[in-house]
Amino acid sequence: MASELFLHPLFRTKVELLSADERVALSYRRARLLLQTYALTSSDVQHCSPKFWSMMMDPICSLDIAMFTIIAAHVGLTIGTLSRHLKKRPDFKPLVDRMLRFDTVGIYLLTERGHGLDAFNIETTATKIADGYILHTPREEAAKFMPASTPSFGIPKVALVMARLIVDGKDHGSRFFVTPICNAREMYQGVRSVRLPPRSGTAPLDFSITSFDHVHLPFTALVASDVLDYATPRQSLEAWWDEIWRIQLGTMAVPAPWISAIKAVAYIGGRYSMHRSLVGKRSAPVPIISFRTQQWPIVHATAVGMVTGNWFPIVIEQVMNTKDHRVRHALSVITKATICRHFQRCVPEVAERCGAQGTFEHNYMARIENDGKGVIIAEGDVLTLCIRLFSELLQKRYEVPIPDPGESLLAFHASALLEENIALLQSIDGDYRSDSFNALILPQSQGVVEAIGHALAYSAALRSNLPRPILDVYECAVIRQDPAWYSEQGGLSRIAQRRREDAAVSAVLPDLSTYLEQLNIAKYVQAPIVTDSGWKDYLAALPIHTGNATPEAGYIQAML
């Protein structure tokens, strides 16, 4: 399902000419339009239907990461968490219906300022009293960080607040509580929102620190199928993971816009490099795409965009069809780590090769690069997720479907790294809490998880018959990440790697224009440098300063 939202006036606005608050207001309006366009039901959200994934993968999301941030928390986390209780909790339905219409915005208050990723050990409490609960933030470190909770943009907000359930003075574990945050004008009594300054160079949003001062909640605020279920869980950590079950699917969803962003950056850089020319000592202008130093970043991003764009819907289907929740989460982590790190390598490289133009917001690349830093921590910090997954794989608690080592160099690489570290763990007596594990094995976590992702993405590309030149460039890009291994174990010397890369790039260049169009991203790209005429039209629309002043006598001499 492809939307036509790129034609809507809300998405044609030159955001770089707006104030920060005007941009935030626009992002909320865009989020409402996106949700109304896809018209999701609670069932779509709960079961992550094809329509749900179509919305998350809509390239329009890559145009406004603030909008996507709103949608990811509102739909994926808040509505998603409530959705599985609707059959036994029909009292939630009016709230969910309002959220599906975007009449109320849902936010997900899990992590705390003083605990960060250690969200299992939060301090916010919900103490049971005769007529409900008292929700309270005991100290500054326990304030919720950093979902957007202000009332500044005329939209009522409600939160799912993770708090420790206290019954008769005893801790019964962490639960979510439905908590009204603000109406369209002001905060509700006892709820405090401190708006944070903007994150540097990103699409702005009203990120906040939220705290609660003895806020009274009814019994029905408890997010559970049975509002009288106060039982202390037998396995507290497993129960906590069950409470935050939507985070696993969120981990899978958040990489989606970054695939479109990689494609957009490849398209912008590619088209700009084809018309931007140098004269130098030659008689005729030479397009900068003629230089290999310009070619590699463009073909690299193009290949990554095509390979990951092909892989993502395939791995989504795998995740949704996997019964073992551990393997489902593992695939989500592999996907997020692989795509996000590809993004972080591709985008700065292309932006830099666009010179000064690559640093301006209207040309997209600098802003999306900064926005990309946020996705690294959204729905789980990439490195932390990789550490946990890698430790579990080494202990063989479960297996992920790695392609056969004989299928490709990348599959051989992934399997060999995993086996190498399993052997290393055995050499330290399998002690995954030792100093040796911390020093020797943990630093390998992200690299091995990425290697598995590279092998899976490449395998999917092979089965989908992507063009061989694209496959070869992708393979060379991965080899660049671990050239020593490919020299030691893969039989490719340094010079052989360079020649392999040269052949791959040379094979792509004759059809580069075609490959850029096959990214299917051109209609979403608004960067004026894509064409020379586009730049001239954009320049003509910018504010112009002219005047009739003349320098005072002696003014220039005084300056000299």
Side-chain angles (χ1 to χ4, degrees):
M1 175 181 177
S3 76
E4 299 291 312
L5 287 174
F6 61 90
L7 297 172
H8 195 281
L10 286 182
F11 288 98
R12 307 304 296 180
T13 303
K14 294 181 174 63
V15 296
E16 64 273 14
L17 303 182
L18 302 178
S19 69
D21 276 3
E22 286 172 334
R23 290 179 65 171
V24 176
L26 178 62
S27 292
Y28 278 107
R29 292 173 65 198
R30 286 172 167 178
R32 180 193 296 273
L33 176 62
L34 180 65
L35 198 52
Q36 291 174 343
T37 298
Y38 279 89
L40 301 179
T41 65
S42 58
S43 179
D44 285 326
V45 179
Q46 179 183 354
H47 301 293
C48 296
S49 70
K51 192 192 290 190
F52 169 87
W53 286 113
S54 290
M55 183 182 74
M56 291 299 185
M57 291 190 290
D58 193 319
I60 205 74
C61 293
S62 66
L63 267 61
D64 187 344
I65 297 303
M67 176 198 72
F68 181 74
T69 301
I70 295 166
I71 287 292
H74 174 73
V75 177
L77 298 180
T78 311
I79 297 176
T81 298
L82 293 173
S83 64
R84 74 172 178 179
H85 299 290
L86 286 176
K87 285 188 177 179
K88 294 185 177 180
R89 292 290 304 276
D91 55 304
F92 282 155
K93 189 175 185 304
L95 172 61
V96 169
D97 287 345
R98 290 200 304 276
M99 288 195 289
L100 287 169
R101 295 192 302 268
F102 210 77
D103 293 337
T104 298
V105 169
I107 58 177
Y108 193 80
L109 297 181
L110 171 62
T111 57
E112 296 178 351
R113 205 281 300 166
H115 294 279
L117 295 172
D118 186 20
F120 178 69
N121 290 307
I122 59 165
E123 299 179 53
T124 302
T125 57
T127 303
K128 182 177 175 294
I129 58 174
D131 60 347
Y133 305 96
I134 296 297
L135 182 68
H136 185 62
T137 304
R139 61 186 186 127
E140 180 274 324
E141 289 83 355
K144 298 296 184 180
F145 186 89
M146 61 183 203
S149 61
T150 78
S152 303
F153 298 93
I155 304 176
K157 294 179 179 178
V158 64
L160 296 187
V161 181
M162 178 66 84
R164 309 197 80 82
L165 172 58
I166 307 299
V167 180
D168 298 328
K170 295 181 180 180
D171 187 341
H172 284 229
S174 295
R175 305 287 191 90
F176 277 117
F177 294 83
V178 176
T179 306
I181 297 296
C182 64
N183 59 27
R185 300 175 304 280
E186 61 180 331
M187 306 299 293
Y188 286 114
Q189 188 173 2
V191 184
R192 185 170 184 258
S193 176
V194 178
R195 185 171 176 182
L196 292 163
R199 296 189 298 170
S200 299
T202 62
L205 193 58
D206 53 326
F207 291 117
S208 313
I209 296 179
T210 312
S211 57
F212 305 94
D213 184 4
H214 298 90
V215 175
H216 180 267
L217 298 174
F219 283 125
T220 52
L222 178 65
V223 179
S225 294
D226 181 0
V227 294
L228 300 178
D229 180 13
Y230 310 129
T232 304
R234 292 182 179 180
Q235 297 178 306
S236 57
L237 183 58
E238 286 76 6
W240 180 77
W241 276 108
D242 185 62
E243 287 288 323
I244 63 168
W245 67 285
R246 290 296 295 201
I247 290 286
Q248 295 183 6
L249 292 167
T251 301
M252 188 71 212
V254 294
W258 310 102
I259 297 173
S260 296
I262 292 168
K263 292 179 177 181
V265 168
Y267 189 86
I268 294 165
R271 290 301 179 201
Y272 176 69
S273 299
M274 289 174 181
H275 74 79
R276 176 70 166 174
S277 300
L278 300 175
V279 176
K281 296 180 180 180
R282 306 183 186 187
S283 57
V286 178
I288 60 175
I289 195 65
S290 305
F291 301 100
R292 183 51 55 96
T293 49
Q294 195 77 13
Q295 293 164 0
W296 171 256
I298 306 303
V299 300
H300 175 204
T302 302
V304 167
M306 292 183 73
V307 170
T308 56
N310 172 76
W311 176 47
F312 193 62
I314 293 172
V315 76
I316 284 173
E317 187 174 357
Q318 277 185 286
V319 166
M320 298 309 299
N321 291 334
T322 298
K323 302 298 183 183
D324 189 332
H325 70 91
R326 300 170 304 169
V327 176
R328 187 185 308 127
H329 191 225
L331 288 171
S332 297
V333 171
I334 291 166
T335 305
K336 179 180 179 181
T338 304
I339 292 171
C340 290
R341 294 309 186 195
H342 270 319
F343 171 89
Q344 289 190 310
R345 295 182 185 110
C346 290
V347 174
E349 198 174 27
V350 175
E352 184 178 302
R353 299 319 315 142
C354 292
Q357 289 280 25
T359 68
F360 282 90
E361 185 166 12
H362 52 258
N363 287 322
Y364 183 71
M365 294 174 284
R367 169 166 53 87
I368 201 65
E369 179 183 346
N370 283 328
D371 275 323
K373 295 178 173 67
V375 76
I376 296 302
I377 60 167
E379 266 72 294
D381 175 85
V382 164
L383 180 57
T384 304
L385 291 172
C386 288
I387 288 172
R388 181 170 183 258
L389 169 59
F390 190 49
S391 299
E392 292 173 344
L393 291 178
L394 294 186
Q395 295 170 69
K396 300 184 179 181
R397 294 184 181 177
Y398 52 86
E399 294 182 351
V400 293
I402 302 175
D404 185 274
E407 182 184 77
S408 68
L409 261 177
L410 305 193
F412 179 31
H413 180 234
S415 295
L417 290 184
L418 192 57
E419 291 302 320
E420 174 185 292
N421 281 278
I422 289 173
L424 185 56
L425 177 60
Q426 292 171 347
S427 74
I428 59 173
D429 300 323
D431 186 357
Y432 64 94
R433 298 190 183 278
S434 67
D435 290 340
S436 295
F437 186 89
N438 178 53
L440 296 175
I441 296 180
L442 279 194
Q444 311 304 315
S445 300
Q446 184 176 286
V448 179
V449 170
E450 278 190 75
I452 295 171
H454 298 150
L456 289 169
Y458 187 84
S459 179
L462 280 174
R463 293 195 303 273
S464 298
N465 294 315
L466 262 61
R468 172 50 60 180
I470 292 297
L471 290 171
D472 289 347
V473 168
Y474 184 81
E475 180 188 66
C476 289
V478 173
I479 290 173
R480 275 193 172 203
Q481 302 311 311
D482 194 2
W485 184 92
Y486 285 96
S487 180
E488 293 173 352
Q489 306 295 328
L492 292 174
S493 66
R494 291 171 61 249
I495 191 64
Q497 292 176 32
R498 297 289 75 77
R499 293 188 184 282
R500 193 183 190 95
E501 185 176 294
D502 174 60
V505 174
S506 297
V508 164
L509 289 175
D511 297 309
L512 178 57
S513 185
T514 299
Y515 293 141
L516 291 176
E517 292 306 318
Q518 288 176 354
L519 294 171
N520 295 319
I521 201 69
K523 58 191 177 185
Y524 297 92
V525 170
Q526 298 174 14
I529 60 166
V530 166
T531 64
D532 191 55
S533 60
W535 167 252
K536 287 179 169 59
D537 290 343
Y538 182 82
L539 186 63
L542 295 177
I544 299 172
H545 298 272
T546 61
N548 296 307
T550 56
E552 298 176 7
Y555 179 73
I556 295 177
Q557 186 63 38
M559 290 180 63
L560 296 174

